[in-house]
């Protein structure tokens, strides 16, 4: 008689099932392919770079500085708008409270007009 070396996968396949794959079965190969793509892209980028390294660094640096100045300017404008909107809302709330206080004072049962 032949020796049967059945594995768990053989038994599950016989009844129409398969082993459950874990997240690491998907993540690690994907990360490996991503890393390989990064290395390949970086190498090709260095190989076909149109400018010298110092020129490229200066170009990238000036682009980043320009973008950060635009972003800071936009953030300052939005912050100022928010401050003005808050001040306006606060003034309206104070006016509403003052008007309510005056109205209550006029209607008070303890006032001389009652």
């Amino acid at each position: 008689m032949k020796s049967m070396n059945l594995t768990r996968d053989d038994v599950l396949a016989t009844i129409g099932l398969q082993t459950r794959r874990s997240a690491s079965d998907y993540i690690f190969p994907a990360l490996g392919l991503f890393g390989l793509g990064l290395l390949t892209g970086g190498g090709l980028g260095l190989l076909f770079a149109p400018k010298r390294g110092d020129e490229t660094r200066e170009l990238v640096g000036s682009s980043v500085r320009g973008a950060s100045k635009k972003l800071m300017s936009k953030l300052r404008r939005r912050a100022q708008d928010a401050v003005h909107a808050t001040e306006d809302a606060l003034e309206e709330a104070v006016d509403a409270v003052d008007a309510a206080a005056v109205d209550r004072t006029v209607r008070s049962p303890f006032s001389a007009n009652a």
Side-chain angles (χ1 to χ4, degrees):
M1 180 169 205
K2 270 189 179 178
S3 171
M4 296 184 71
N5 292 329
L6 291 177
T7 64
R8 177 176 46 168
D9 290 331
D10 294 333
V11 173
L12 288 174
T14 303
I15 59 174
L17 299 174
Q18 62 183 7
T19 57
R20 186 175 191 178
R21 296 181 70 182
S22 67
S24 63
D25 292 336
Y26 298 104
I27 291 173
F28 291 129
L31 287 176
L33 289 173
F34 182 73
L36 181 63
L38 281 176
L39 290 174
T40 303
L44 289 174
L46 289 174
L47 184 63
F48 293 111
K51 298 182 180 185
R52 292 190 341 247
D54 55 345
E55 293 173 350
T56 303
R57 282 190 297 276
E58 180 61 34
L59 180 65
V60 169
S62 65
S63 297
V64 168
R65 282 188 294 275
S68 67
K69 285 181 183 178
K70 285 182 184 178
L71 178 64
M72 289 304 293
S73 173
K74 189 179 284 190
L75 288 175
R76 280 191 192 101
R77 263 187 273 122
R78 293 226 175 141
Q80 288 173 349
D81 291 346
V83 167
H84 293 307
T86 303
E87 288 172 346
D88 293 343
L90 183 61
E91 286 177 18
E92 289 177 15
V94 168
D95 291 344
V97 168
D98 287 343
V102 167
D103 188 41
R104 245 182 184 295
T105 305
V106 170
R107 287 195 205 164
S108 174
F110 303 109
S111 67
N113 298 345

